[in-house]
Amino acid sequence: MKKRQILMHLIQEREISFKKSFNLLKGYYYYLTKNTKPNSYPSILMVEPTNLCNLNCPLCPTGNKTLKRARGYMFLTDFKKIIDEIGDYLLNLTLWNYGEPMLHKDIHEMIEYAKRKRIFIRMSTNGHFLNKDTKRLVSSGVDDLIVALDGASQETLSKYRVGANFEEIIRGIKSVVAEKKKLKSRLPFIEIQFVIMRHNEHEVDKMRKMAKEIGVNKLTLKTAGLEMIDIKEGEIEKMKEYLPTKERYGRYDKDLKNKKPIKNKCIRLWLSSVINWSGDVVPCCYDAENVFTFGNIREELFKEIWINDKYAQFREAILKNKKSVKMCSNCPGTLLGLTLDE
């Protein structure tokens, strides 16, 4: 969804309360004043239901089997604890990170539980499980359903989404579209997300036509990212093999430096956070290995973690010298700007 669409949706669905709005303003104020212990809650939260996946994407640490942290599924009790504490303040709940969320047996219950707090919920899936209990998925309350489909044919899709079944994904998307019509439901907003890479950029127009024929709400063209990858010396040319040849489709220059300026700031550290399946709280989705773990929600309240010394020191480090933190050194630190229409 575009920014304007999300805002209109929040208003239409009455998902903006005074408490949520005031919390957002407080967070932004603390960001502007560089207060490293914000007396607020994040307005945007990413929760990782699992870091297991059915695909083997070569640039994903889960898919290429280089992820070192333990694999598993978030306990439903942990998820409910998070929502019980933070839900009244959240404007946006993102259900994914380094795994396929629909592999979690309780994913529908998670969505339904969070929806009681009138939160805008987004979920990204590789699309292989959309035919499983489609009615419950559509009825769950998920607002934005993102289906990662980086090819308009099996041949192109499987070059990166290793193990993907193109026809199965298309059938799944069509089943969700059909169930929406059957239930006369506006939701979920269905968008196909197409990450533009060298091997698939020739299919952009074909995908536009296909998305229209299937009946999804939107086709999102996303730039390929390398921030979560530890690119070693001599590997730049190898990484470039994944990046598109057309400059307008990429976020990096010839040296793989972000085209956007890298300044000593990051609004994400004041307005958003990430909780992985194990309960570990990390700064953002680029921390694949939990290098910067500020605490665990199984052991203490999120608010205590949000304003503890570890979190504050990390914010301070970004404000002083962002490039000293390798994970952040090539990231502009914005909430949006990864898709070509934002």
Side-chain angles (χ1 to χ4, degrees):
M1 278 183 165
K2 293 182 180 180
K3 291 179 287 186
R4 181 177 176 277
Q5 288 174 311
I6 294 175
L7 178 60
M8 293 305 296
H9 177 84
L10 289 171
I11 295 171
Q12 188 172 3
E13 297 295 317
R14 298 180 181 179
E15 293 176 350
I16 298 182
S17 65
F18 174 79
K19 181 181 283 189
K20 292 181 180 184
S21 300
F22 186 58
N23 179 69
L24 174 63
L25 290 174
K26 282 173 66 180
Y28 193 63
Y29 170 76
Y30 291 128
Y31 164 69
L32 292 177
T33 56
K34 301 180 180 180
N35 186 325
T36 58
K37 290 192 174 185
N39 184 26
S40 59
Y41 284 95
S43 292
I44 302 169
L45 182 68
M46 172 177 277
V47 173
E48 179 185 71
T50 180
N51 63 347
L52 294 164
C53 189
N54 55 306
L55 300 185
N56 298 290
C57 305
L59 295 183
C60 173
T62 297
N64 64 26
K65 306 296 188 293
T66 60
L67 192 69
K68 297 182 181 67
R69 64 181 167 99
R71 309 294 181 102
Y73 297 91
M74 176 171 280
F75 294 138
L76 182 60
T77 51
D78 287 343
F79 180 81
K80 288 182 176 181
K81 179 186 177 184
I82 294 166
I83 299 304
D84 289 345
E85 182 186 357
I86 313 174
D88 288 334
Y89 302 93
L90 285 180
L91 286 169
N92 186 316
L93 175 64
T94 298
L95 290 176
W96 75 80
N97 197 12
Y98 285 94
E100 168 51 52
M102 294 195 73
L103 284 174
H104 199 297
K105 65 182 180 64
D106 297 318
I107 191 63
H108 296 112
E109 189 171 349
M110 286 176 164
I111 296 169
E112 291 160 355
Y113 191 82
K115 204 61 193 176
R116 297 176 190 175
K117 297 288 188 178
R118 305 193 72 82
I119 305 167
F120 177 85
I121 300 173
R122 311 180 82 185
M123 182 172 71
S124 180
T125 173
N126 60 43
H128 286 81
F129 307 99
L130 295 174
N131 279 310
K132 185 180 179 181
D133 210 351
T134 308
K135 182 177 180 180
R136 189 175 182 188
L137 174 64
V138 172
S139 304
S140 66
V142 61
D143 298 275
D144 191 11
L145 180 65
I146 302 167
V147 184
L149 185 61
D150 308 324
S153 64
Q154 176 66 45
E155 180 184 5
T156 300
L157 177 68
S158 59
K159 285 182 178 177
Y160 183 76
R161 302 279 174 182
V162 180
N165 185 316
F166 180 79
E167 292 299 329
E168 186 175 348
I169 298 169
I170 296 299
R171 283 195 300 272
I173 298 172
K174 287 181 176 179
S175 71
V176 178
V177 172
E179 194 64 37
K180 278 180 61 179
K181 290 179 180 177
K182 182 180 177 181
L183 297 176
K184 297 180 180 179
S185 175
R186 291 189 307 104
L187 300 175
F189 184 94
I190 308 169
E191 56 181 298
I192 290 176
Q193 180 176 274
F194 188 96
V195 178
I196 304 178
M197 291 174 274
R198 186 165 301 191
H199 69 272
N200 67 10
E201 60 185 316
H202 67 286
E203 287 193 342
V204 170
D205 290 337
K206 186 178 179 181
M207 180 56 78
R208 284 196 177 103
K209 181 180 178 181
M210 185 177 293
K212 188 175 181 179
E213 290 173 349
I214 295 172
V216 299
N217 298 97
K218 185 176 184 289
L219 170 65
T220 297
L221 301 178
K222 186 178 180 182
T223 57
L226 302 174
E227 281 81 2
M228 72 291 294
I229 302 169
D230 183 14
I231 303 176
K232 297 178 175 57
E233 189 175 347
E235 291 186 339
I236 290 181
E237 293 306 314
K238 181 181 178 181
M239 290 298 105
K240 285 182 179 179
E241 293 176 7
Y242 292 98
L243 302 180
T245 58
K246 296 179 181 178
E247 187 177 347
R248 69 178 183 275
Y249 289 155
R251 69 175 78 164
Y252 308 109
D253 62 20
K254 61 182 178 63
D255 297 316
L256 298 187
K257 300 299 182 183
N258 204 299
K259 294 177 183 177
K260 294 184 178 181
I262 309 300
K263 299 179 181 179
N264 291 331
K265 61 181 182 178
C266 178
I267 195 169
R268 292 177 184 233
L269 294 176
W270 279 262
L271 297 187
S272 70
S273 189
V274 173
I275 303 178
N276 284 327
W277 74 266
S278 58
D280 287 331
V281 177
V282 297
C284 77
C285 61
Y286 289 155
D287 191 357
E289 294 289 2
N290 290 8
V291 174
F292 300 99
T293 301
F294 305 128
N296 190 291
I297 57 94
R298 294 177 183 173
E299 301 167 1
E300 54 190 323
L301 292 173
F302 177 85
K303 185 60 178 289
E304 295 171 352
I305 300 170
W306 183 242
I307 59 173
N308 69 19
D309 289 341
K310 283 186 178 180
Y311 225 135
Q313 288 164 8
F314 188 84
R315 293 185 181 106
E316 186 69 29
I318 297 302
L319 291 172
K320 285 184 177 179
N321 184 10
K322 187 176 186 178
K323 291 187 177 181
S324 68
V325 182
K326 189 174 182 179
M327 177 184 78
C328 308
S329 62
N330 202 27
C331 174
T334 57
L335 288 173
L336 298 169
L338 302 181
T339 63
L340 297 176
D341 57 1
E342 290 177 340

